[in-house]
Amino acid sequence: EPEVTQTPSHQVTQMGQEVILRCVPISNHLYFYWYRQILGQKVEFLVSFYNNEISEKSEIFDDQFSVERPDGSNFTLKIRSTKLEDSAMYFCASSGGGNELWEYFGAGTRLSVL
Amino acid sequence: ELKVEQNPLFLSMQEGKNYTIYCNYSTTSDRLYWYRQDPGKSLESLFVLLSNGAVKQEGRLMASLDTKARLSTLHITAAVHDLSATYFCAVDKGYGNKLVFGAGTILRVKS
């Protein structure tokens, strides 16, 4: 069964460092998303991406965040200068559009900022 | 702004009992989803509900949707320990639109 793949599963970084979280969406999907979940809290939308551009972003997704689809398969989230409050689980998701109803979530990357 | 509220936020149940989780949302939405999350894991899709009166069942879980009341319910029948998890409802407004999640209901089923 096709799945969304995220790497790494756990990333530890120092405050102020740049991190790149990587995702490989399901191959024929058209819409891509990043969400985050701070420990014990609900899942929050960060950004959606379609047709090689951001279609929507939340207030969390400030200038420190960027997304990119550098080739036909990868979808990345970059945080330029990490803060302690960026520590969370980051989920990538993709959906196909058309008759595809679901957003499929990856297993997540746990980001720990020290 | 679309808001989603779930209750209860925490539910401790005895095995064999029935209970219902409620999900209210604030504005018209195209689809309502139920996801399950085990600790430290990703989100597992359970149900998607599209239309008023929709009802879906899988094992001991049954989800329903009332679009007029902007309410979905997740009913648990004869709970078993394996159902212990956090359950999220989420809504969106169509293809390519973000999912807005409720706060989640932590379900603990005790033997």
Side-chain angles (χ1 to χ4, degrees):
Chain A
E1 184 177 328
E3 60 180 14
V4 176
T5 306
Q6 288 186 246
T7 54
S9 57
H10 190 195
Q11 175 86 49
V12 181
T13 189
Q14 295 291 327
M15 192 169 54
Q17 295 296 305
E18 174 183 287
V19 294
I20 297 176
L21 310 183
R22 302 180 190 281
C23 170
V24 178
I26 294 173
S27 62
N28 60 344
H29 280 186
L30 302 175
Y31 301 90
F32 314 112
Y33 313 84
W34 284 100
Y35 293 84
R36 80 171 185 190
Q37 185 180 33
I38 294 171
L39 186 64
Q41 298 187 23
K42 70 177 178 180
V43 179
E44 301 174 288
F45 169 78
L46 292 178
V47 65
S48 58
F49 193 86
Y50 171 72
N51 200 26
N52 285 320
E53 61 183 21
I54 291 173
S55 47
E56 187 176 1
K57 60 183 180 179
S58 72
E59 61 274 10
I60 302 169
F61 194 88
D62 61 20
D63 292 344
Q64 293 300 311
F65 291 87
S66 62
V67 289
E68 195 176 36
R69 188 157 163 80
D71 52 42
S73 60
N74 290 284
F75 180 51
T76 62
L77 174 69
K78 181 193 289 187
I79 309 174
R80 288 189 185 80
S81 178
T82 50
K83 306 183 186 76
L84 295 175
E85 54 264 36
D86 293 328
S87 295
M89 182 75 96
Y90 288 80
F91 293 108
C92 174
S94 69
S95 64
N99 292 325
E100 178 60 78
L101 297 176
W102 285 101
E103 279 186 38
Y104 293 88
F105 284 77
T109 294
R110 179 164 297 285
L111 177 64
S112 299
V113 182
L114 305 179
Chain B
E1 181 187 346
L2 180 55
K3 292 184 180 178
V4 181
E5 291 186 357
Q6 276 182 249
N7 68 85
L9 299 182
F10 182 76
L11 179 53
S12 180
M13 297 176 64
Q14 292 288 336
E15 275 193 330
K17 298 293 187 183
N18 304 333
Y19 209 88
T20 301
I21 300 170
Y22 298 88
C23 174
N24 288 92
Y25 54 98
S26 59
T27 63
T28 303
S29 296
D30 280 0
R31 298 176 291 200
L32 187 135
Y33 303 82
W34 286 97
Y35 285 90
R36 168 184 171 143
Q37 186 181 38
D38 291 295
K41 303 293 186 182
S42 187
L43 296 157
E44 175 190 349
S45 51
L46 294 175
F47 303 106
V48 56
L49 303 166
L50 303 178
S51 58
N52 190 43
V55 177
K56 291 195 174 179
Q57 183 162 6
E58 180 75 32
R60 300 175 188 274
L61 301 178
M62 183 173 71
S64 66
L65 179 63
D66 180 343
T67 57
K68 293 178 182 176
R70 296 179 187 153
L71 171 69
S72 179
T73 61
L74 181 66
H75 187 72
I76 302 147
T77 302
V80 293
H81 185 262
D82 286 352
L83 290 179
S84 297
T86 300
Y87 293 84
F88 290 97
C89 66
V91 296
D92 73 12
K93 297 182 73 66
Y95 300 120
N97 283 279
K98 65 185 180 187
L99 283 176
V100 179
F101 284 82
T105 297
I106 300 172
L107 174 65
R108 292 290 175 262
V109 181
K110 299 185 290 188
S111 305

